[in-house]
Amino acid sequence: LADGCVGLRDLDISGCQRVSEVGITNIAHGCTGIGYLNVTDCKLISRRFLMRLINDMQFSDPAHTYFGYQPKPDADELRRKAQELQEMGLAATDIQRVIRGTLARGGVKEIKRAHIIKYQLPKAQAWVRGFLRRRKWQK
């Protein structure tokens, strides 16, 4: 159950006597989409364990009407932000990969050359033209 059920949203295993803390940990970390988990009357699950597990989970709070956990009020927004952050990290990694590849292939020389031609050369040309005109007027 814990392998690959990322679309699972609600799980009620109340009364299951053979479910252990290891099993609940695997379910909680494997089924990342679970919002509601009810483990009422599961004798092998302790309150201390469940509180520790909930503290490790960023989108869940303890349930008040049953023994288990429920999603935080803004869980969907938190998930969206976490997804955006992950995508930004992947994009940054891609940018670093491209830059390192450019550096490894010696592409920096071409980038510097293009920068000089576009920005520095016109300034130098303007300075030389001004110098020559001032010199012409002084004669």
Side-chain angles (χ1 to χ4, degrees):
L1 178 68
D3 295 331
C5 290
V6 293
L8 187 62
R9 294 289 178 208
D10 301 338
L11 183 61
D12 184 354
I13 52 175
S14 58
C16 295
Q17 302 300 320
R18 298 181 67 188
V19 175
S20 68
E21 293 177 351
V22 174
I24 295 298
T25 301
N26 291 338
I27 289 172
H29 293 299
C31 304
T32 56
I34 289 184
Y36 297 92
L37 177 67
N38 186 351
V39 291
T40 306
D41 295 330
C42 294
K43 301 296 182 197
L44 299 177
I45 310 296
S46 68
R47 184 167 298 281
R48 180 176 290 165
F49 160 76
L50 192 62
M51 290 303 129
R52 253 194 332 262
L53 181 66
I54 293 170
N55 285 336
D56 292 342
M57 301 174 72
Q58 55 185 330
F59 307 122
S60 299
D61 281 337
H64 300 292
T65 58
Y66 55 90
F67 186 58
Y69 62 81
Q70 62 187 14
K72 290 184 177 181
D74 57 347
D76 291 334
E77 181 68 20
L78 291 172
R79 286 178 200 263
R80 188 185 60 73
K81 286 182 181 180
Q83 181 68 27
E84 284 179 8
L85 189 60
Q86 183 180 16
E87 289 172 0
M88 287 172 49
L90 292 173
T93 303
D94 286 345
I95 290 170
Q96 289 174 348
R97 181 182 48 80
V98 168
I99 290 173
R100 287 182 180 148
T102 302
L103 292 173
R105 290 186 299 274
V108 173
K109 288 181 183 178
E110 185 59 35
I111 292 170
K112 285 183 180 178
R113 182 176 170 275
H115 176 76
I116 289 171
I117 289 172
K118 187 173 182 179
Y119 296 106
Q120 302 299 324
L121 192 58
K123 290 179 184 177
Q125 289 171 339
W127 184 82
V128 169
R129 281 194 303 270
F131 174 78
L132 293 176
R133 283 191 183 150
R134 285 190 299 276
R135 193 175 199 196
K136 183 181 176 181
W137 284 101
Q138 289 176 354
K139 287 185 178 184

